[in-house]
Amino acid sequence: MDLKNLPYSLRVLAINVSKHIDGEKITQDDLDAIINWKVGNEISFMPTRVIMQDYTGVPLLVDLAEMRSELARRGLNPEKVNPIIQSDLVIDHSIQVDYYGTSYSLTLNMKKEFERNEERYKFLKWAQRSFKNLRIIPPGKGIIHQINLEYLSKVINDNNEPEIVIGTDSHTTMIGGLGILGWGVGGLEAEAVMLGEPYHSIVPEVIGVKLEGEIREGVTPTDIVLYITELLRKKGVVGKYVEFFGSSLSKLTIQDRATIANMAPEYGATVGYFPIDEQTVKYLNLTGRDGDKVKKIAMELGIFYNEREEIKYSDVVEVNLSEIEPSMAGPKNPDERIKFGSLKIERKNKGNIIQDGDVVLAAITSCTNTSNPTVMLGAGILAKKAVELGLRSKPYVKTSLAPGSPVVVKYLKDAGLLPYLEALGFHVVGFGCTTCIGNAGPLIKEVENDIKTYGVEAYAVISGNRNFEGRINPLLKGTFLASPILVVAFAIAGRIDINYEEPIAFDPNGKPVYLRDIWPTLEEINSYMNLAMNPEYYLSQYSTIFKGDENWEKLSVTPSPIYDWPKSTYIVEPPWFKEEDGKLEIKKARILLLLGDKITTDHISPAGPISPDSEAGKYLLSLGVKELNTFGARRGNHEVMIRGGFSNPKLKNYLVNKEGGYTIHFPDKREGTVYEVAMQYKKEGVPLVVVAGKQYGSGSSRDWAAKVTALLGIKAVLAESFERIHRSNLVAMGVLPIEIEDWRKLGIKGDELVSIEFTDLNPGSKAKIIFENNERKVETSGILRANTKTEIEYLKSGGILKYVLEKMIKDEN
């Protein structure tokens, strides 16, 4: 097998295919398409591992439990539904920042987490004991991607096969920093792979990113990834692989690489891949794994990085690290990078304790940065210098520290830096995603009052990867992404427009303190690095990774082939096999929503707190529920989720003159919530479509964004362009993703009836689309964004779950 000149990421794919050719699911044609680099050709391959987090993993396992129930109802063996490959679920998304700024914050947040989520956790324990090849990592152990990086990943598995990992979280791409091909998929696709189906894709373009130059003093890995995110988003790499190479590759640690690979969804790529090299070997050895063995096998397989080798790429983008400067991104999107210190705020509104431009939430959070000792140690050093000068965080700033792993706390403690972070209010609040996923908890009460009463425009600064509208807190004007070091600085300053020229605070004697006075140097950070990379820390932490605290261990469940679906408002048997199959030709549908660009999966299916006055909140209150919790935690209950569809308070639907989850019912033009209008259309037997702009479905991999779309009765989404994961999720739910020209240019108003016809049904088929009302008729064409023949079969079957179930039944018969 000649892999010469192929990008390393494609070599990994080719090796995988070569080891799994069976003539049926995976064929020689798949291998030839990769070796000959036939871009756009359909291929099938077998991922070696599936990784999940609880927000997306719970609904996946609920689906598998429902498939078992359905097989039992049909008199067949329910245990046929079982993961074939190693599957791991890390519980990291549930914890919320209810308590902060104290030594007891972690304990009380964990206690609250179990009180809220006991029903979910009992279900997960049942799943762990009832399914084979499924491991559950209990709450409090860390963030999925950091655990994947530090422990779960082998790089080359026991069969001497390079790992290919798919995950039900979009930031699974983080593992590309370790030389593993990995990316996020919808839970529906992951289910099929777990059950033995191959993963279907197309041969991608591979964009090479050539790294050159030296990193300047004061520039952090966060600055580098924000620069690359802006650059590649402008370049246009959606659906492509990005592979890093060049003379400066060796200057990036594995954690630096993981930071860059983590944000591949933000720059739009399928993966951000760093080939296996000496840095990989060093990191594996320092974290208690056998890096030398990985090097030996990687060299034999031809996937060990050789800088002198001439690699062909679809295109090359050059990045000179010496040109990168400190920056942040916001206020609404991760690719909105701005130079640090350039932001100007006009202060019009003032409340009792805050005014326009104030920072009211500062969170060291997320897998992106808390896994990187450079920025975590840097944050501790800045805190130390600030405290020694008598500085403190502003009293109106809600501060939190949520590391991706207890290893971080261990090295911060041993470095003597944790007490200084705590002196500024950055106490550990939990080991999970917290603020980054929207679980920041409420703002300080007086701050909320100022925002609501005086219209004060306040901001958050977080070390996360996403800042979409309404995600972090709906009351905020915006959120900026920045390094953990800057997060601490913003908490001290208490305002968003700090710079290098003006003091960020004054010491107790009135002396000005500038950012340069407290900024950590690379030399200072490196002096602590031996603590952060102590193998004993990793061996100790991960020796008990599957053992939970007393709250987890006392949860009692009985394993059984079939889940008994006890009464619950968290875990409810879903309706997937009761729903009618979708029709691929649509006649006289109504437009439920008319939307603009960059509609995210947060807009479509929120993850944050459930408001008491929302459709979902009212439903739960009617059942006597007192703790509403979050949409993320309620994803095992379709009745709650359907009521949350398109309910984000920042959603702009052009059919109505206000923001939020509202729309119009035609022809009577009655305004109502998206849920109630959709249900009225459903009673009337009227099919629905959504019309939108560019980058529809950007953001998280949550399959519920597609599930809720289907449950609302939406048969097709017509958009200018789709983000990769949501497009595949729509197909997996039997919803047609159709690419059309700008609806504004077509003159669409939203009151039209919509009909969609196909001359044939193949990947990329043309669709004839007719918009008509009493006054006019507009005819246009669209392209069905089903990329493979298998995806066409999913659409014909009414979704991937029905496709897989019927295949199982056919195989058994």
Side-chain angles (χ1 to χ4, degrees):
M1 186 166 63
D2 185 9
L3 302 178
K4 189 178 179 183
N5 301 130
L6 269 185
Y8 290 95
S9 49
L10 292 187
R11 296 181 191 189
V12 171
L13 264 185
I15 293 166
N16 176 280
V17 169
S18 70
K19 288 178 177 290
H20 294 278
I21 291 175
D22 60 5
E24 294 181 12
K25 290 182 178 180
I26 297 176
T27 68
Q28 184 65 39
D29 288 343
D30 294 316
L31 182 59
D32 292 342
I34 300 169
I35 292 175
N36 297 314
W37 202 355
K38 297 177 181 177
V39 173
N41 272 38
E42 181 178 347
I43 55 169
S44 301
F45 57 93
M46 296 298 296
T48 60
R49 192 158 52 87
V50 173
I51 191 162
M52 303 165 273
Q53 38 90 340
D54 55 306
Y55 267 18
T56 51
V58 166
L60 184 157
L61 295 175
V62 167
D63 289 348
L64 294 188
E66 163 66 353
M67 290 179 85
R68 281 193 168 188
S69 295
E70 182 68 15
L71 283 178
R73 282 191 287 267
R74 300 191 189 196
L76 300 171
N77 178 16
E79 292 184 271
K80 193 173 180 65
V81 176
N82 206 78
I84 302 298
I85 62 174
Q86 183 61 56
S87 304
D88 297 306
L89 186 147
V90 181
I91 302 173
D92 67 352
H93 273 53
S94 308
I95 192 163
Q96 299 182 50
V97 188
D98 294 291
Y99 301 93
Y100 72 102
T102 65
S103 59
Y104 58 76
S105 298
L106 174 62
T107 301
L108 291 189
N109 284 332
M110 284 283 288
K111 184 172 181 289
K112 193 81 171 171
E113 178 181 7
F114 275 89
E115 289 172 359
R116 286 178 171 136
N117 296 288
E118 183 178 342
E119 293 171 34
R120 298 169 70 238
Y121 294 168
K122 279 187 173 180
F123 170 74
L124 286 175
K125 268 207 159 181
W126 169 83
Q128 182 182 31
R129 294 181 180 182
S130 300
F131 290 113
K132 297 174 185 175
N133 297 320
L134 175 66
R135 298 183 296 191
I136 306 287
I137 296 177
K141 298 295 184 176
I143 298 176
I144 170 177
H145 307 303
Q146 190 156 348
I147 292 173
N148 197 24
L149 183 76
E150 293 178 352
Y151 175 72
L152 292 174
S153 295
K154 297 179 179 179
V155 183
I156 303 225
N157 67 19
D158 296 337
N159 297 322
N160 290 347
E161 178 181 8
E163 284 196 292
I164 297 182
V165 179
I166 62 167
T168 62
D169 187 287
S170 52
H171 293 106
T172 303
T173 54
M174 180 167 165
I175 207 60
L178 191 59
I180 295 173
L181 207 55
W183 61 90
V185 301
L188 297 156
E189 291 175 291
E191 288 173 45
V193 169
M194 287 167 70
L195 295 174
E197 289 293 307
Y199 186 84
H200 305 282
S201 181
I202 57 174
V203 178
E205 291 183 48
V206 181
I207 306 299
V209 176
K210 187 177 184 180
L211 301 172
E212 299 175 303
E214 298 284 341
I215 301 168
R216 287 158 49 187
E217 183 72 51
V219 171
T220 69
T222 312
D223 300 319
I224 296 171
V225 73
L226 293 179
Y227 177 90
I228 289 172
T229 298
E230 178 191 42
L231 180 71
L232 293 181
R233 181 55 83 170
K234 287 179 180 176
K235 170 74 177 174
V237 294
V238 173
K240 302 174 185 179
Y241 287 11
V242 166
E243 183 169 301
F244 296 87
F245 72 104
S247 58
S248 293
L249 188 68
S250 61
K251 295 170 186 175
L252 297 179
T253 67
I254 292 302
Q255 294 98 326
D256 293 342
R257 298 174 185 190
T259 299
I260 295 167
N262 178 286
M263 287 187 72
E266 279 65 55
Y267 45 83
T270 302
V271 297
Y273 184 75
F274 289 81
I276 301 166
D277 67 356
E278 293 295 348
Q279 287 280 21
T280 316
V281 176
K282 176 182 173 183
Y283 180 81
L284 290 171
N285 287 334
L286 287 173
T287 50
R289 289 165 286 182
D290 193 344
D292 298 312
K293 180 183 175 184
V294 166
K295 178 179 179 178
K296 179 177 179 293
I297 299 168
M299 292 187 79
E300 290 171 358
L301 293 172
I303 56 173
F304 194 83
Y305 181 65
N306 180 352
E307 190 180 338
R308 293 186 298 275
E309 193 171 358
E310 195 72 31
I311 303 294
K312 292 179 182 176
Y313 291 105
S314 305
D315 199 358
V316 172
V317 176
E318 295 188 359
V319 172
N320 189 331
L321 297 175
S322 64
E323 295 176 356
I324 298 174
E325 57 191 357
S327 58
M328 47 202 235
K332 295 180 182 179
N333 291 287
D335 57 332
E336 297 171 340
R337 188 180 69 92
I338 61 172
K339 180 181 176 181
F340 173 76
S342 64
L343 196 63
K344 305 293 181 187
I345 295 290
E346 186 180 352
R347 290 174 171 80
K348 296 178 180 178
N349 302 306
K350 188 173 184 178
N352 292 319
I353 64 168
I354 61 168
Q355 60 181 324
D356 285 352
D358 280 351
V359 170
V360 298
L361 192 155
I364 299 176
T365 178
S366 101
C367 50
T368 309
N369 289 292
T370 68
S371 61
N372 196 319
T374 298
V375 288
M376 295 304 288
L377 289 167
I381 293 167
L382 184 139
K384 181 177 186 291
K385 292 182 177 183
V387 170
E388 288 173 344
L389 289 173
L391 305 187
R392 292 294 185 271
S393 297
K394 290 293 185 287
Y396 50 79
V397 183
K398 183 173 183 178
T399 50
S400 61
L401 168 60
S405 162
V407 169
V408 177
V409 175
K410 176 68 175 164
Y411 67 67
L412 285 174
K413 270 185 181 175
D414 287 1
L417 297 174
L418 190 62
Y420 294 101
L421 284 164
E422 291 174 339
L424 295 175
F426 288 93
H427 293 75
V428 176
V429 295
F431 296 101
C433 299
T434 61
T435 300
C436 189
I437 191 61
N439 284 351
L443 301 174
I444 294 168
K445 190 174 181 181
E446 292 79 8
V447 169
E448 285 198 1
N449 289 339
D450 276 3
I451 294 172
K452 291 176 179 177
T453 306
Y454 302 102
V456 176
E457 296 184 348
Y459 295 86
V461 180
I462 70 170
S463 65
N465 43 48
R466 288 191 174 143
N467 50 352
F468 304 130
E469 286 185 300
R471 180 184 178 94
I472 305 306
N473 187 294
L475 294 176
L476 296 171
K477 176 65 176 175
T479 296
F480 285 87
L481 308 181
S483 71
I485 308 172
L486 277 178
V487 169
V488 178
F490 276 106
I492 294 168
R495 55 190 176 87
I496 198 65
D497 54 351
I498 61 175
N499 55 48
Y500 294 113
E501 290 75 37
E502 299 173 301
I504 69 163
F506 293 84
D507 75 10
N509 299 302
K511 183 180 177 182
V513 177
Y514 296 86
L515 191 57
R516 62 177 174 269
D517 299 329
I518 57 176
W519 193 263
T521 66
L522 283 174
E523 185 180 355
E524 289 170 328
I525 292 169
N526 287 334
S527 69
Y528 293 105
M529 198 59 75
N530 64 315
L531 291 173
M533 295 310 299
N534 184 340
E536 292 303 316
Y537 289 179
Y538 295 89
L539 292 170
S540 172
Q541 164 62 21
Y542 289 111
S543 64
T544 58
I545 190 67
F546 298 107
K547 183 176 173 59
D549 65 6
E550 60 178 350
N551 295 302
W552 176 262
E553 294 303 321
K554 72 182 181 185
L555 292 177
S556 178
V557 296
T558 303
S560 59
I562 304 170
Y563 190 61
D564 60 3
W565 304 107
K567 187 176 180 182
S568 170
T569 58
Y570 282 91
I571 306 297
V572 176
E573 187 171 6
W576 310 130
F577 302 110
K578 302 178 183 73
E579 292 278 309
E580 287 184 21
D581 289 352
K583 294 179 181 176
L584 299 187
E585 293 206 339
I586 297 167
K587 302 290 185 185
K588 295 187 176 180
R590 284 290 182 184
I591 298 173
L592 182 65
L593 296 133
L594 191 62
L595 305 169
D597 298 335
K598 290 191 175 181
I599 296 300
T600 72
T601 51
D602 284 88
H603 286 118
I604 303 167
S605 183
I610 298 172
S611 170
D613 58 0
S614 67
E615 290 280 4
K618 290 173 186 174
Y619 170 74
L620 287 169
L621 291 171
S622 74
L623 299 177
V625 173
K626 292 178 181 170
E627 175 59 71
L628 299 183
N629 211 331
T630 64
F631 281 107
R634 297 275 182 189
R635 284 181 184 162
N637 185 340
H638 63 280
E639 293 289 0
V640 172
M641 298 308 295
I642 189 176
R643 288 165 171 81
F646 297 95
S647 67
N648 188 306
K650 300 290 186 180
L651 180 73
K652 176 56 184 171
N653 175 17
Y654 289 94
L655 295 181
V656 292
N657 291 318
K658 58 183 176 182
E659 290 187 342
Y662 302 96
T663 193
I664 297 286
H665 177 271
F666 292 103
D668 59 15
K669 298 184 179 180
R670 184 182 67 82
E671 186 178 296
T673 66
V674 170
Y675 170 73
E676 63 184 351
V677 170
M679 292 305 100
Q680 184 175 344
Y681 278 132
K682 210 167 195 178
K683 284 180 186 174
E684 296 164 354
V686 176
L688 301 174
V689 299
V690 168
V691 178
K694 299 182 183 73
Q695 289 180 232
Y696 184 82
S698 58
S700 302
S701 67
R702 63 191 66 162
D703 56 354
W704 259 108
K707 285 179 173 178
V708 76
T709 300
L711 284 178
L712 287 169
I714 297 164
K715 306 301 181 186
V717 176
L718 314 176
E720 282 185 76
S721 63
F722 294 87
E723 291 292 280
R724 179 184 64 85
I725 300 176
H726 186 62
R727 181 210 64 79
S728 61
N729 277 336
L730 288 172
V731 171
M733 282 307 299
V735 178
L736 303 170
I738 300 175
E739 204 169 89
I740 62 167
E741 63 179 299
D742 187 347
W743 60 264
R744 301 168 188 85
K745 291 180 180 176
L746 292 171
I748 303 306
K749 304 297 182 187
D751 62 348
E752 297 90 351
L753 290 166
V754 183
S755 296
I756 302 171
E757 300 172 3
F758 298 97
T759 51
D760 57 19
L761 209 56
N762 290 303
S765 285
K766 280 195 174 181
K768 176 182 174 183
I769 305 164
I770 300 170
F771 297 89
E772 56 184 327
N773 56 23
N774 293 330
E775 300 171 359
R776 60 198 290 269
K777 180 178 178 179
V778 177
E779 188 173 312
T780 187
S781 63
I783 298 173
L784 176 62
R785 283 304 176 200
N787 291 343
T788 66
K789 291 177 182 176
T790 306
E791 286 192 338
I792 295 294
E793 293 304 313
Y794 294 161
L795 290 171
K796 287 179 179 178
S797 299
I800 196 170
L801 295 178
K802 291 179 180 177
Y803 172 86
V804 172
L805 186 76
E806 292 304 323
K807 198 171 178 186
M808 277 185 184
I809 292 169
K810 184 179 177 183
D811 289 346
E812 188 150 312
N813 292 334

